[in-house]
Amino acid sequence: MNTTTSSGPALIDVHDMVVVHRAFRREFRILAELLRAVPAGDLARAAVVAEHARLALAGLSLHHGSEDDLLWPLLLERAAPSAELIGRMEAQHGEAESLITRIEPALARWEAEARPAAGEEVAVLMGELATTLLAHLDEEERSVLPLAARCLTQEEWASIGQAGVAKMTKAELPIMFGMVMEDATPEERRALLGGLPLPVRLLLRTWGARAYRRYVSRVRDGR
């Protein structure tokens, strides 16, 4: 929702970013646990966990890419004092991508053999990524979102999220959306769904919701 201050124009609503961040915090915390829990040699279970890891990593890369392409340029143009902050945000994105580049081949090696030692290597890297990511998300929410709320229009803000969604496959969309919605409050769910076209909204509420429940049960519980 928009708010107006006594000294300035209405602020746009950027809370959807907080909801997305909540999903990343949860998934990257859980991933290290899932990796370590796979029994030695269980290739079927390793494939499920590896698939989920790749989906979470792809979602993070899409999220960061939309910010790099669309958000930082607007903030640098309209909030010049934030240049140092934006440089730090870009550097943190670079650290995360560097870790993802290291995780991907390690994940492939583990998936092929399901050796505990290889799984531990990936889990440690995931832990490093989670630590880097949590610090980044905290600073972004503390320092970047207030700038965006003041400097962008609601349409410009919406385009940043839409850019990431547009790059998802039809199979990825309900799962990614389900991840974001999982810990959302009823008010947050209504706001997130409200910005979508009616056919997409209906699809995500019905088939998409069921698909996510099946997916998350398979990933976390092995069922």
Side-chain angles (χ1 to χ4, degrees), residues 60-71 93 97 167:
L60 181 60
S61 291
L62 285 176
H63 178 69
H64 283 175
S66 296
E67 291 178 337
D68 291 339
D69 294 342
L70 300 172
L71 179 56
H93 280 190
E97 286 304 311
K167 294 177 182 177

Side-chain angles (χ1 to χ4, degrees), residues 76-123:
L76 286 169
E77 176 187 340
R78 299 175 189 177
S82 68
E84 182 181 350
L85 170 65
I86 300 308
R88 193 160 61 251
M89 293 291 102
E90 289 175 325
Q92 290 170 1
H93 280 190
E95 290 176 36
E97 286 304 311
S98 178
L99 282 165
I100 290 172
T101 300
R102 294 170 60 194
I103 288 169
E104 288 170 341
L107 186 64
R109 289 193 298 272
W110 171 72
E111 183 182 11
E113 300 178 358
R115 288 187 301 108
E120 182 62 22
E121 178 189 2
V122 182

Side-chain angles (χ1 to χ4, degrees), residues 26-36 49 52-54 56-57 123 126:
R26 182 192 65 241
E27 294 307 320
F28 283 99
R29 174 182 57 79
I30 291 173
L31 267 168
E33 300 171 4
L34 292 174
L35 285 155
R36 291 186 169 108
V49 174
H52 181 62
R54 291 191 183 97
L57 293 170
M126 283 291 187

